[in-house]
Amino acid sequence: MPTPTPASTTIDLNADLGEGFGIWAPAADAELLPLVTSANIACGFHAGDPVRMRETVALAAAHGVAIGAHPGYPDLQGFGRRELDASPAEIAAYALYQVGALDAVARAAGTRVRYVKPHGALYHRLARDRDAARAFAAAIHDLDRELTVLGPEGSALLAAARSAGLEARREAFIDRGYGPDGILVPRGREGALASDPVAAAERAVRIVREGLVKAVDGTDVPVAADSLCIHGDGRHAAELLRAVRARFEAEGIAVAPFAR
């Protein structure tokens, strides 16, 4: 279990963005980008497409938001939230394909990808599967050893990233419920999603100041974070982020990207 983070005055805010496909546009992206400091941009496997990737990269660059690659399983129908029986070698290939594509789009726009955060079921797989995490981290290192890997503290993903010589940063979630074990409550279960702006802002401040989050059973559990995430496809994402930003300003907490 992670140890609490010390009091801090600066934190990153990230969101999963660019998750439209074809004629389906993520309506909230333009509203969310001014509110975050890092953008996890879908790379075409769970969502996104080449046109959407270019548009989202351009918007992120215009707002001075750090660009991150958000690779997932090749599962458009399931939005990357279904577990696939992919081998570590296949996962490494998925990572190279997706991160490389987004980096090409970013470089063509005069910027670059700064970090990588896996999506959905792949994120959870890499948090616990050491072989898959090592394969993923090796692929990222082979592509660009200056990339940072973003994931949950205490995970196989961050351990593998550090072993591969990559910078690793920790994230926690504003809009997801935590169990007493410090692990996210699975989607579909009671308490999995958070939509109250006031509660979200209070949670964000506690994570930054105390390194603690209240679990669904009412207990406090330690959560270490360099970045706080909100899901861009959530119906209340912009409302939650505005509440968090307002509370941070009142508390004297600055927001800045962890990867520059």
Side-chain angles (χ1 to χ4, degrees):
M1 184 172 286
T3 55
T5 53
S8 174
T9 55
T10 304
I11 192 73
D12 175 67
L13 290 174
N14 78 76
D16 304 338
L17 301 171
E19 291 183 321
F21 185 79
I23 64 172
W24 289 277
D29 279 13
E31 189 176 7
L32 293 174
L33 272 164
L35 300 172
V36 299
T37 47
S38 296
N40 320 313
I41 300 177
C43 305
F45 270 28
H46 77 277
D49 58 40
V51 173
R52 197 71 57 203
M53 288 160 68
R54 293 193 74 180
E55 292 174 348
T56 311
V57 162
L59 277 173
H63 287 287
V65 171
I67 294 170
H70 197 39
Y73 280 133
D75 180 26
L76 284 172
Q77 288 181 316
F79 197 61
R81 289 178 176 159
R82 301 183 295 191
E83 185 58 66
L84 300 186
D85 187 20
S87 69
E90 288 172 322
I91 288 172
Y94 298 161
L96 281 174
Y97 187 96
Q98 294 176 84
V99 180
L102 186 68
D103 193 51
V105 170
R107 289 180 184 275
T111 184
R112 60 178 290 256
V113 172
R114 304 291 178 178
Y115 67 95
V116 180
K117 173 193 165 180
H119 168 81
L122 181 59
Y123 182 95
H124 297 299
R125 164 87 177 271
L126 296 177
R128 66 179 187 273
D129 185 329
R130 294 180 181 178
D131 290 338
R134 282 193 289 264
F136 182 90
I140 300 305
H141 179 272
D142 289 346
L143 177 65
D144 184 350
R145 64 188 64 187
E146 293 184 5
L147 288 169
T148 297
V149 174
L150 180 63
E153 174 66 357
S155 64
L157 173 61
L158 295 194
R162 294 181 183 114
S163 294
L166 297 168
E167 184 176 356
R169 292 300 186 103
R170 311 158 300 178
E171 81 167 339
F173 292 84
I174 298 172
D175 58 352
R176 293 294 311 279
Y178 281 83
D181 55 2
I183 297 175
L184 295 179
V185 176
R187 288 176 179 272
R189 295 188 185 176
E190 185 177 356
L193 303 177
S195 59
D196 182 345
V198 175
E202 177 63 26
R203 166 183 286 188
V205 170
R206 285 202 74 205
I207 293 172
V208 174
R209 294 295 194 195
E210 304 174 44
L212 294 171
V213 66
K214 190 172 292 295
V216 291
D217 67 350
T219 60
D220 283 337
V221 295
V223 177
D226 303 299
S227 181
L228 300 179
C229 175
I230 192 161
H231 292 84
D233 64 313
R235 290 190 301 167
H236 306 284
E239 186 180 4
L240 295 184
L241 275 171
R242 281 193 290 268
V244 169
R245 292 293 296 258
R247 182 69 185 277
F248 279 179
E249 184 175 358
E251 295 280 343
I253 298 172
V255 293
F258 65 84
R260 297 178 183 274

